[in-house]
Amino acid sequence: MSKPKLVVIGNGMAGIRTLEELLQLAPDQYDITVFGAEPHPNYNRILLSPVLAGEQAFDDIILNPLSWYADHGITLHLGKTVTQIDRRNRVVRAADGTEAAYDRLLLATGSSPFILPVPGKDLRGVISYRDIFDTETMIATAQLKQHAVVIGGGLLGLEAANGLKLRGMSVTVVHLGDWLLDKQLDIPAGKLLQASLEQRGLQFLLAHQTAEIAGNAAGEAVAVRFKNGTEIPADLVVMAVGIRPNQALAESAGLYCNRGIVVSDALQTFDPRIYAVGECVNHRGTAYGLVAPLFEMAKVCANHLAHLGIGQYKGSVLSTKLKVTGIDLFSAGDFMGCADSEDIVLSDPAGGVYKKLVIKDDQLVGACLYGDTTDGAWYFKLLKEGRKINDLRDHLMFGESSIGDAGTQGQNRAMAMQDSDEVCGCNGVCKGNIVKAIKDKGLFTVDDVKKHTKAASSCGSCTGLVEQILMNTLGSSFQETPKTKAVCGCTDHNHGDVRRVIREHHLLTHQAVYQFMEWRTPNGCATCRPAINYYLLSTWPKEAIDDPQSRFINERAHANIQKDGTFSVIPQMKGGVTNASELRRIADVADKYAIPMVKVTGGQRIDLLGVKKEDLVNVWADLGMQSGHAYGKSIRTVKTCVGSEFCRFGTQNSTQMGIDLETMLANMWSPHKVKLAVSGCPRNCAESGIKDVGIIAVDSGWELYVGGNGGIKTEVAQFLCKVKTAEEVKEYSGAFLQLYREEAYYLDRTVHYIARVGLDYIKARVVDDSANRKALHERLLFSLEGLRDPWAERIAGKQKHEFIPLKVLA
Amino acid sequence: MNAITTPNWVQICALDDIPPLGSRVLQRESGNVAIFRTADDSVFALLDRCPHKGGPLSQGIVHGAAVTCPLHSWNIDLASGEARATDVGCARRFAAKVEAGLVFVALH
Ligand code: SRM
Ligand SMILES: Cc1cc2nc3c(=O)[nH]c(=O)nc-3n(C[C@H](O)[C@H](O)[C@H](O)COP(=O)(O)OP(=O)(O)OC[C@H]3O[C@@H](n4cnc5c(N)ncnc54)[C@H](O)[C@@H]3O)c2cc1C
Ligand code: SF4
Ligand code: FES
C-alpha cells in the first residue's frame, strides 16, 4: 500500500522544523517531498549575521545537510520555486515544470524583505538582507566598494551595518524614526545603543526619509537622496525596512490571505488539506518574524499532520535581543508603558547601563534592558507567567540573584563561567560540553540539551543555569521550555490534563489511561508509568489497583537500592523514639545478616545498609518493626524534639504530637516524599522550618508551617495558621496533605505545588473553609484506612517472586 | 541448522514465574542474567549489568521492548542489549524463547 503524500513548499526554518517534529512522532507516515527556491539545504537564517560579521562560516550554519533528507527518504527539489497549487487535482507545479501530487500540503514560504518604492530601487548595488545570496553579495561588495548605506535602524539593519563595518566599509544607517530600534527600545536605551555603535565607527541619520537612489550611467547605485534635499554617497544600499509574508502563491490558489496566509490554532488554512507555518502565516491577526513562535507552530502542526490532533497554537509572547557581539540589549512586552502603568528605572549612563521595568496591576508587563541583560530571562519568565510581583517589588530591579531563595540559583553565573566550570554536578557536565553540543548539534531547548549532554537531567537544580547558557549561546533563537510540559515523550498531554481526565472519566487502569489519552507507546515508559500509577491510586483509593511493575524498584521492593545492587533497610521509628528491645533486635539482625553498615540517618532513625535482596524479607521478619517508607514517594519521617515532657523550655508535648502524626499518616503515598517535624518551642530543634509540614508549639497552641524543603534547594516553610488543640493539628495537617495528594503533579514537593497554586489558595481551602477542611481530612483517612504495612504483607508472602532469584539446576 | 550454531537451551522457569512487564534474576557463578517478559509475552535475556556503571537491569522498569536501568535511567533495548540514544553501550545478550509455557535461555 502506498503512503499518503506530504508536500512541503519552502525549505526554510519553519518548514523543516515541522518535518523534524513529524518524523519523531510518525517516522513512516508520509512520502515527503520538499521544494526549496534557494539552492541550499536548510540553514540557520539567524546566523547569517555572525557570518556577515566574519564570526562564523556558511558551513557552520547548515541545520540539515543533504544526507539528512536522504536518510529520511525525503525527495528534495532544490532551486525550484513552486508557482502553482492545483487544489482540484491536488498537485503543485514548479517554474521548471516539476510536479508533485499531495494528500497534505504544507506551506512554509517565509517572507520577503519590503523594498521601498522609490526611484532607483532596481539599480545594481541595491539589495535586501534575507538569505545566503544577499550575505555573499555584501561580503563580495565590501571587498571592492567603499560606501554602504543601510536603510532601516531595526534589528536586521543594525546587524547588517555592524557586519559591513567589520568588513571594512564606511557605513551610514538611515532611519525614519527618532531613535534606533524604536520597536524594541525606549528613547534612553536607543540613545545608549546609538552611542556605543558610534564608538564602533557607524554613522547615523535619524528622522531621515529616503526619497531616491541615484545611479550612474552603468546602472549602479552611487548615492541616496533624502526628502530634506541632502544626499550621501552609496555604492551599496541595503534595505532593511521590514518584511512581508510570502502569500502570493497561496492567494493565487484561492486560499484566504490577509497580511499572511490565515491559519487556525491547528495551523490549518481554509483548505483542510493545506497547512501553513512560519513567517508566511497570519495567526489570530499576527504575523511573526522571530523563530521561537515558528518552532512552537512547527510542533503543533506536526502533531496534527501525525493525526494526533491534540496540540493547539495559541500565539506567543516575544522577546528581543540584538546579535552584535559586545552589545547587550533585551526587551519584551509593553516596555513603553501607558497612562495607567508605572515604571521602575535604573539609569547609569556613565556605566552604559539602563534598565526599565513596566508594571501594571501588580504584574510585570514590559522590560527594556541595555548594558546588563543577565536578568532578561528572569523578567521574561515573570512576564509570561503573569505572576503577581508585590512580594518581589523591592528587589525586582536588582535581579533574580537578589531574591535569594525565590529564584533558580546561578542565573547570573552562566556568562562569567569558564568552559571547564562544572554546570551539572550530578552528571559531571561542564559549560564547554554544553556550549559545544548546542553549536555542533544545533540544539534549541533545555530538553534537547538534557537529551544530548545529560546536564539538568538528574536532580534538575542546574536547569536555570543551562537555560542561561542556551540563551547566551543562541541569542534570540532561544526558546523557553514551556511551562506546561508533556508528561514524557509518550504523550503531548501534561500532568494537569492526565489528572483531570482520570478523575472526570473515572479511569481505573493504566491501559485505560493510555488508550483514552492516545499514548504513543503501548505501555508507557519509566517516566510516565509511576506518575500514572500514583494518579490512579490517589484519585480512586480502594478502586484502582496498584501496579508493582509501574513502580520504581525501591517502591516495588520496599527498600532503597544501592550502587552495588544491594538494599538499605530503615525501619519506622515514630517521632525518632526507640527502646532497648528494638535496638537489641537491630543489633542482632546486623550480626546475623553481616550487615556492612549501621547508620543513624538525618531523619532520626537507623539505617541498615548493604542488605542482599534475597535477605530482605527475613531481615524484616527478624526486626519485627514496620516499614519506615524511607524509599518511597510517601510519608517519610516526623522529626520531633524532646518537648515539654523533659525540656526546660518545652511548651507542649511535641514528641507525642510527632508520634501521633506519624501514626495517622502511616503507609501514605504522595506525589513526592513528605516530611514533617514538630518542635516544642520556637527554638525549633526539630527544624520545622524546612519541612513539608512543620509544627512549632507555643504557649497558647501550635503554629503550622507548610512547603518547607531542606533538599536540593533549601526553602523555608510558610506560615499557614495557628491552632489551639492537638486534634486541630492533625486535622489541618491532614487536610493540607490531602489537598497536595489530590492536586499536585507527580514529583512536585509541597513547595512546588504551593508555588503553582499560591498560599492564598491553600489558606482558602484548608483554613477558611472548615467544611472543606473536614472533607479533605476525611478523604485522607478514608484512603489510608485498611492499608497494611508493606513489610508485614511481604513477610506474609505477597510478591514472593520479587525476592527469590532463579537458579540453574543442572 | 548445524551443530556448531545450535544454541545450548537451558530451561529456566515457567513463563508465569515472570510478571508481565517484569523480570527475574537468574543467579550464576559467571554473572547474573536478567530475564525479562514484555506485555506481549516475549522473553529476553541480558547479562544483569548495565553498560553504564553495572546497575542491575533486572531491577528496572520494563516498557515496550526496553528496560530503564534503576541506577541512572539508561534505556536498554531488550532485543539488542544496546543503550538507546543518546547513550552508548551494550549489555551482553543471550538468546531466549518460550515453548509450551516454559522459558529457555541459551547459556552456552
Ligand atoms: C539515609 C539518608 C541519609 C542519611 O544517612 O542520613 C538519605 C538518603 C538518601 N536520600 Fe535523602 N536521605 C536522608 C535524609 C534526607 C534529608 C534530611 C531529613 O529528612 O531531615 C533531606 C533534606 C530534607 C528534605 O527532603 O526536604 C534529604 C533530601 C534528599 C533529596 C532532595 C529532596 C528535595 O526535594 O530537594 C533527595 C533526592 C530526591 O528525593 O529526589 C534524596 C534522596 C536520597 C536517596 C534516597 C537517593 C536515592 O534515591 O538513592 C538516598 C538513599 C541513600 C541510600 O543509598 O540508601 N534525599 N534526605 C536520610 C534518610 C532519612 C530517613 O530516616 O528517612
Ligand atoms: C539576517 C537575519 C537575522 C535574523 N536573526 C534572527 C534572530 O536573531 N532571532 C530570531 O528569532 N529570528 C531571526 N531572524 C528571523 C528568522 O530567520 C525567521 O523568522 C525564520 O527564518 C523564518 O522561517 P520560515 O521558515 O518562515 O522562512 P524562511 O526561513 O525564510 O524559509 C522560507 C523558504 O521558503 C522558500 N520559498 C518561498 N517561496 C517558495 C516557493 N514558492 N517555492 C519554493 N520555495 C519557496 C524560500 O526561498 C525560503 O528558503 C533573522 C532573519 C535574518 C534574515
Ligand atoms: S545520601 Fe543523600 S546527600 Fe548523601 S550521597 Fe546520597 S543522595 Fe547525596
Ligand atoms: S548503571 Fe545503569 S544507568 Fe548507570
Side-chain angles (χ1 to χ4, degrees), chain A residues 552 554 560-563 568 570 599-607 609 628-631 633 636-637 639 672-673 675 687 690-692 708-713 749 752:
Chain A
F552 183 64
N554 290 359
N560 201 307
I561 196 163
Q562 310 292 298
K563 57 193 278 193
S568 68
I570 304 185
K599 179 180 182 304
V600 174
T601 73
Q604 295 191 336
R605 41 201 190 164
I606 294 177
D607 194 351
L609 292 130
H629 281 91
Y631 45 78
K633 308 294 174 235
R636 293 287 178 91
T637 56
K639 269 169 92 155
H672 204 307
K673 55 191 173 195
K675 300 177 176 182
E687 299 169 335
I690 48 165
K691 292 289 175 267
D692 295 286
N709 186 319
I712 296 170
K713 190 160 153 334
R749 291 280 298 259
H752 310 120

Side-chain angles (χ1 to χ4, degrees), chain B:
Chain B
M1 242 189 268
N2 62 47
I4 300 166
T5 57
T6 303
N8 177 16
W9 293 111
V10 181
Q11 182 186 323
I12 304 296
C13 60
L15 180 64
D16 287 340
D17 292 334
I18 314 176
L21 289 177
S23 64
R24 296 292 297 269
V25 196
L26 175 69
Q27 279 190 335
R28 274 196 333 162
E29 286 291 313
S30 47
N32 291 354
V33 176
I35 302 169
F36 302 92
R37 172 174 173 188
T38 59
D40 62 3
D41 288 346
S42 310
V43 296
F44 297 94
L46 297 175
L47 192 67
D48 199 13
R49 280 184 58 81
C50 176
H52 179 219
K53 291 189 175 174
L57 296 174
S58 56
Q59 310 299 302
I61 288 182
V62 179
H63 47 93
V67 62
T68 302
C69 176
L71 293 198
H72 317 98
S73 302
W74 278 29
N75 283 308
I76 308 293
D77 192 87
L78 293 178
S80 64
E82 299 269 4
R84 290 202 170 156
T86 51
D87 299 313
V88 181
C90 189
R92 177 158 160 223
R93 46 182 279 276
F94 299 86
K97 67 174 181 183
V98 182
E99 251 171 38
L102 296 174
V103 175
F104 296 83
V105 174
L107 289 174
H108 319 282

Side-chain angles (χ1 to χ4, degrees), chain A residues 5-9 85 92 102-107 273-276 305:
Chain A
K5 298 181 177 58
L6 171 67
V7 172
V8 183
I9 306 181
I85 304 172
V92 303
Y102 67 84
D103 297 291
R104 289 280 180 279
L105 180 62
L106 176 63
L107 301 175
R273 290 183 179 276
I274 307 184
Y275 291 77
L305 285 171

Side-chain angles (χ1 to χ4, degrees), chain A residues 106-163:
Chain A
L106 176 63
L107 301 175
T109 49
S111 57
S112 299
F114 180 64
I115 301 293
L116 289 176
V118 292
K121 68 180 168 54
D122 298 322
L123 290 167
R124 213 151 4 110
V126 180
I127 63 165
S128 56
Y129 186 19
R130 178 72 194 173
D131 52 26
I132 289 195
F133 181 78
D134 297 332
T135 313
E136 275 173 342
T137 309
M138 282 192 257
I139 295 172
T141 312
Q143 288 173 344
L144 304 171
K145 302 284 173 92
Q146 186 53 55
H147 298 287
V149 173
V150 175
I151 304 180
L155 289 167
L156 214 55
L158 294 181
E159 290 182 12
N162 177 60

